Amino acid sequence: MAREFQLYIVPTPIGNLKDITLRAIEVLKSVDVIACEDTRTTQKLLNHYEIATKCYSYHKYNEKERLNFFNSLISEGKKIALVSDAGTPLICDPGAVLIEELIKDGVSVTSLPGACAVTTFISQVPRLSEEFTFIGFIPRSAEQIKKIVSENIDKNLVFYEAPERIFKTLEIIKSVRGDIKIALGRELSKLFEEINIDTIGNVLNHYNGEIKGEIVCMLYPSCNIDDDVIVDKIKKLKNKGYKAKDCAVILSSLYDYSKNKIYDLALSLE
Ligand code: SAM
């Protein structure tokens, strides 16, 4: 049996309504109150799972007032779940102030594992290193974008961005980092989900000025690799039975090295 807490942080789906855990449903049913961003959005999820718990909106404009309200409920022995419109609360979503204050007041808090755009994305993007730097929403101003991108040139830099800004943002990044390789995830877990791993130029061409839906993006670090090192890696893959085409796909997704060039090198080693 799971330990009981006074406040539960509960992730909700980021697109596919089924992406919610059994425990999350159980917690949402069992708590006395749900704190959410937009009651209309959360109510749809609650209706779908026949959850009758009452929800109250919580956002930056009413957080003080709500804090007192939630605190008084907790002092009456009631339990609260905090959700956001989609995904995990506090990941580019509100809740930090509430939780900070409740922890100060000695309230027991736990967080349930669950849906989150950045983890859904990063778990399907091949990387040379495990490490990645997530900056939340990338800043809007060109100066700030240039600064953050230049400061993180050697990192897998992951960010959220709105569809109406992504082209401009990628152009700014290209002006600083050149036509580097990126991974762009769109509409993850939804009907038209896709991941596009290619150079900025090719990604921009792919969408041809029109992109819709929710986006998460990663800039690969600049990772120059010597020809003899890539030849060595091709040989190793070929020894394991990989064809020239496979070597090109695998190695170009890991290094700043042209797919065609790897393919030609792999063929020349046959
Ligand atoms: N709390 C959420 C989470 O756990 O990922 C993030 C909330 S933030 C306000 C919303 C941003 O997350 C979107 O603008 C988009 O960048 C990203 N996002 C949310 N759902 C997504 C999805 N299904 N596919 C791609 N990106 C998504």
Side-chain angles (χ1 to χ4, degrees):
M1 209 174 99
R3 188 182 143 193
E4 293 216 332
F5 291 84
Q6 293 164 294
L7 177 72
Y8 294 83
I9 299 160
V10 181
T12 55
I14 56 165
N16 187 323
L17 264 187
K18 290 184 181 158
D19 289 333
I20 184 161
T21 66
L22 297 175
R23 184 168 169 228
I25 296 173
E26 197 179 280
V27 166
L28 292 176
K29 280 187 175 164
S30 68
V31 292
D32 300 282
V33 162
I34 297 170
C36 63
E37 282 187 84
D38 183 334
T39 50
R40 287 162 304 182
T41 306
T42 299
Q43 197 56 54
K44 284 185 200 149
L45 180 77
L46 301 186
N47 292 346
H48 184 81
Y49 287 102
E50 299 178 348
I51 298 168
T53 314
K54 185 144 178 52
C55 49
Y56 292 87
S57 71
Y58 165 79
H59 44 73
K60 60 181 176 190
Y61 304 107
N62 68 358
E63 59 189 350
K64 269 239 150 69
E65 178 195 324
R66 280 294 192 235
L67 177 62
N68 294 338
F69 173 61
F70 293 137
N71 239 334
S72 64
L73 289 176
I74 283 173
S75 57
E76 287 167 22
K78 302 230 160 67
K79 293 187 170 45
I80 299 177
L82 176 77
V83 300
S84 59
D85 281 350
T88 302
L90 276 75
I91 305 293
C92 296
D93 270 338
V97 174
L98 176 73
I99 289 166
E100 189 180 9
E101 291 303 322
L102 292 178
I103 288 175
K104 268 192 214 154
D105 293 341
V107 170
S108 59
V109 179
T110 190
S111 175
L112 273 55
C116 176
V118 65
T119 50
T120 305
F121 172 70
I122 208 72
S123 58
Q124 57 183 310
V125 169
R127 282 161 286 127
L128 261 188
S129 107
E130 276 300 323
E131 240 177 272
F132 65 92
T133 300
F134 176 56
I135 56 168
F137 280 98
I138 195 162
R140 291 193 185 190
S141 91
E143 282 323 299
Q144 284 176 311
I145 294 173
K146 285 179 185 171
K147 183 168 183 287
I148 204 155
V149 164
S150 319
E151 284 170 354
N152 289 283
I153 210 149
D154 54 343
K155 306 259 169 53
N156 292 307
L157 187 70
V158 184
F159 58 87
Y160 289 161
E161 178 58 301
E164 63 274 16
R165 284 193 295 272
I166 189 71
F167 293 127
K168 192 169 158 237
T169 298
L170 288 178
E171 291 289 4
I172 295 167
I173 292 168
K174 197 165 158 217
S175 74
V176 182
R177 297 272 317 268
D179 199 11
I180 54 161
K181 193 170 77 174
I182 63 166
L184 189 138
R186 196 179 72 84
E187 295 287 84
L188 302 178
S189 80
K190 303 186 196 178
L191 195 56
F192 297 108
E193 74 172 300
E194 62 179 348
I195 297 270
N196 210 317
I197 302 180
D198 213 325
T199 58
I200 294 182
N202 287 343
V203 170
L204 291 173
N205 283 342
H206 174 78
Y207 291 107
N208 197 19
E210 201 188 339
I211 189 165
K212 289 195 179 116
E214 301 197 273
I215 291 164
V216 48
C217 188
M218 186 182 96
L219 310 182
Y220 280 89
S222 289
C223 169
N224 295 323
I225 183 161
D226 292 339
D227 290 358
D228 48 345
V229 179
I230 207 90
V231 166
D232 191 48
K233 291 192 182 294
I234 294 172
K235 282 184 184 160
K236 283 190 178 137
L237 285 175
K238 293 192 81 169
N239 284 342
K240 288 185 180 161
Y242 287 92
K243 303 254 177 300
K245 202 173 134 207
D246 305 324
C247 297
V249 172
I250 295 169
L251 295 174
S252 69
S253 76
L254 295 173
Y255 302 99
D256 263 357
Y257 214 99
S258 139
K259 202 194 274 182
N260 292 342
K261 224 168 141 189
I262 298 172
Y263 181 71
D264 291 342
L265 276 172
L267 281 183
S268 71
L269 293 171
E270 275 176 2

